[in-house]
């Protein structure tokens, strides 16, 4: 995650902040909230994700590839996944400043996570907070809501995992502050059509 960090959505660059109502600023903290996303939130979530990925992948991808990471491109995938979730345990939460969507986090079961018990582990698949909405607690609220949501859907939940870019220092520090630690798993994800890869590491927190 970025103030957070992943999908049933990693179409590109294969990895991992409106309606035009989305983030143009952090908004009043008193109006901050987290709720379950609706299909109508897809444009706003797409916009946030485009900002997050453009920032995180700026040094990894060619400029034209970064420029192609647009809100509408992501929004189309989110709308499909919101209308037809891969499983009942897949959820998307959004952080709001007043009515504006400023962040998101996607959750799901640990279906294909080597070394993790899929019945006792949840996964944060993707997430982020719009750059203009950071440092106002949205990331922490999203993370707490994500863990609570995963717990509510699984009485046997013992751990939550997520994947982050190995060199995403701020994201890793944020997650470390919440108790996430590397468990030794890593992968090289293809991030563009030329075969370029980005190293990711898996972080896990025990509950």
């Amino acid at each position: 995650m970025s103030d957070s960090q992943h999908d049933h959505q990693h179409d590109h660059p294969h990895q991992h902040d409106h309606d035009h109502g989305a983030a143009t600023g952090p908004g009043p903290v008193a109006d901050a909230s987290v709720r379950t996303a609706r299909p109508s939130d897809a444009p706003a979530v797409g916009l946030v994700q485009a900002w997050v990925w453009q920032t995180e992948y700026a040094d990894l991808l060619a400029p034209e590839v970064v420029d192609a990471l647009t809100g509408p491109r992501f929004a189309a995938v989110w709308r499909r996944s919101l209308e037809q979730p891969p499983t009942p345990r897949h959820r998307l939460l959004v952080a709001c400043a007043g009515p504006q969507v400023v962040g998101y986090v996607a959750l799901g079961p640990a279906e294909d996570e080597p070394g993790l018990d899929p019945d006792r582990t949840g996964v944060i698949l993707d997430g982020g907070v719009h750059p203009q909405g950071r440092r106002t607690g949205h990331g922490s609220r999203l993370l707490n809501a994500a863990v609570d949501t995963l717990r509510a859907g699984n009485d046997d939940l013992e751990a939550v995992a997520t994947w982050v870019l190995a060199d995403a220092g701020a994201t890793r520090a944020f997650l470390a502050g919440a108790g996430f630690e590397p468990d030794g798993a890593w992968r090289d994800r293809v991030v563009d059509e030329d075969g370029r890869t980005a190293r990711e590491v898996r972080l896990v927190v025990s509950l």
Side-chain angles (χ1 to χ4, degrees), residues 78-104:
W78 284 119
R79 185 177 293 279
R80 288 197 299 271
S81 66
L82 285 165
E83 291 175 344
Q84 296 183 317
T87 75
R89 290 169 63 185
H90 281 83
R91 300 285 295 277
L92 178 66
L93 307 178
V94 292
C96 299
Q100 296 179 329
V101 171
V102 296
Y104 72 100

Side-chain angles (χ1 to χ4, degrees), residues 81-151:
S81 66
L82 285 165
E83 291 175 344
Q84 296 183 317
T87 75
R89 290 169 63 185
H90 281 83
R91 300 285 295 277
L92 178 66
L93 307 178
V94 292
C96 299
Q100 296 179 329
V101 171
V102 296
Y104 72 100
V105 62
L107 318 170
E111 298 171 312
D112 301 307
E113 292 289 340
L116 298 181
D117 184 342
D119 294 324
R120 299 179 183 274
T121 308
V123 177
I124 294 175
L125 298 161
D126 196 4
V129 173
H130 191 284
Q132 293 181 359
R134 294 177 184 170
R135 304 190 186 283
T136 54
H138 293 300
S140 295
R141 279 186 288 273
L142 274 172
L143 188 59
N144 290 336
V147 173
D148 288 346
T149 300
L150 287 168
R151 273 192 174 127

Side-chain angles (χ1 to χ4, degrees), residues 152-170:
N154 183 358
D155 292 337
D156 296 323
L157 192 72
E158 294 182 350
V160 177
T162 191
W163 290 90
V164 300
L165 289 170
D167 60 357

